[in-house]
Amino acid sequence: MSNRYEIIIYWSERDDVYIAEVPELPGCQADGKSYQEAVSNAEVIIGEWIETARELGREIPQPKGRLMFA
């Protein structure tokens, strides 16, 4: 399920890294020096976000797919 969440990736001049945000999971974001590293880190963080939500008995949103339009 974790690979179905939308990930928004952008470059942060201030931090000098790519930022990967997962809008369907509040507060879920990662970064990386490369685009690929940001995506990889986001996949790990999504899994950890879901695991923590389960441990705390919180609702886990179902992935909705594409949320934003370019």
Side-chain angles (χ1 to χ4, degrees):
M1 177 166 73
S2 64
N3 62 350
R4 295 187 180 168
Y5 288 100
E6 178 181 44
I7 301 173
I8 299 171
I9 302 169
Y10 58 91
W11 177 254
S12 171
E13 289 288 337
R14 185 182 67 155
D15 300 315
D16 199 33
V17 294
Y18 286 93
I19 304 293
E21 293 183 357
V22 186
E24 292 174 90
L25 305 177
C28 187
Q29 66 179 20
D31 62 30
K33 287 289 185 184
S34 70
Y35 187 95
Q36 292 79 11
E37 182 181 23
V39 171
S40 179
N41 290 342
E43 290 173 345
V44 171
I45 294 302
I46 290 169
E48 291 176 2
W49 193 102
I50 292 170
E51 181 181 326
T52 300
R54 283 189 181 131
E55 289 172 2
L56 297 174
R58 295 191 177 156
E59 184 178 340
I60 300 168
Q62 291 297 313
K64 295 179 182 162
R66 188 173 183 191
L67 298 177
M68 301 185 74
F69 300 96

